[in-house]
Amino acid sequence: MTLSGQLETELEAKVSASIFHDVLSGRPHHFSNMIPDHVHGVELHEGEWGKPGTVITWTYKHDGVTEIAKEIIEEIDDEKNSTTFKVIEGHLLDKYNSFYVTVQAIPKGEHSCLARWTIKYEKKSEDVPDPQGIVNLAIEMTKGIEAHHPPKQA
């Protein structure tokens, strides 16, 4: 059995790809206002919002338990509307040797996109489950962005 894995989910969001990407790459601290039942806070530790190398800490609900994950923004690709986060501290590293989340917003029109969340990880042992709870959180985050950025009426 391999210890490396990858989970992906794709959801259509009724928000432009550029807005979706901007929230994930430059304004993740807004999630505590968008989905307070799921994300309790996002704090800046080092760097600047929206810049690679920035270190942030998420406080969020994972499988019904409040958890903390410290991450570094590894890459921001504004052309591809993509952001990659690497977990560097927190509960996920109790079970996984490495944990990365890449979010890409693929344009589907002026006011919609396909949100593609890719989670790559390496389990510490065969007994560790796949991180489905993080996929569920990604779905809630997508819904939160969509709900708080309705299309402008003409």
Side-chain angles (χ1 to χ4, degrees):
M1 179 177 177
T2 181
L3 297 178
S4 295
Q6 178 173 312
L7 295 177
E8 261 190 41
T9 189
E10 292 182 344
L11 299 105
E12 185 170 344
K14 291 178 178 54
V15 62
S16 73
S18 62
I19 289 174
F20 192 94
H21 173 62
D22 179 59
V23 172
L24 263 302
S25 67
R27 298 182 287 136
H29 53 291
H30 290 196
F31 277 107
S32 60
N33 293 325
M34 288 188 248
I35 53 169
D37 290 344
H38 301 281
V39 176
H40 306 297
V42 181
E43 294 180 30
L44 178 68
H45 284 277
E46 293 176 29
E48 293 178 50
W49 295 115
K51 303 285 184 197
T54 296
V55 177
I56 59 177
T57 298
W58 297 77
T59 304
Y60 59 98
K61 198 74 96 170
H62 178 255
D63 292 335
V65 177
T66 299
E67 300 283 8
I68 294 175
K70 191 177 212 179
E71 300 178 341
I72 186 166
I73 299 175
E74 286 241 310
E75 181 182 3
I76 296 174
D77 186 333
D78 293 329
E79 203 169 287
K80 293 183 180 178
N81 294 315
S82 176
T83 306
T84 299
F85 301 89
K86 176 185 177 184
V87 176
I88 57 174
E89 286 180 25
H91 77 103
L92 292 169
L93 295 184
D94 294 341
K95 296 180 180 179
Y96 304 94
N97 290 319
S98 63
F99 203 94
Y100 294 85
V101 177
T102 300
V103 187
Q104 183 179 16
I106 302 162
K108 286 197 68 168
E110 189 177 349
H111 299 295
S112 70
C113 69
L114 185 66
R116 177 181 294 148
W117 295 78
T118 304
I119 300 166
K120 293 182 181 179
Y121 53 90
E122 182 186 337
K123 299 175 183 181
K124 288 194 174 189
S125 73
E126 292 180 8
D127 299 336
V128 173
D130 292 333
Q132 187 60 45
I134 298 298
V135 172
N136 296 340
L137 179 61
I139 292 167
E140 293 303 323
M141 292 170 75
T142 300
K143 291 176 185 176
I145 293 173
E146 182 180 62
H148 283 80
H149 296 87
K152 304 273 189 266
Q153 299 299 319

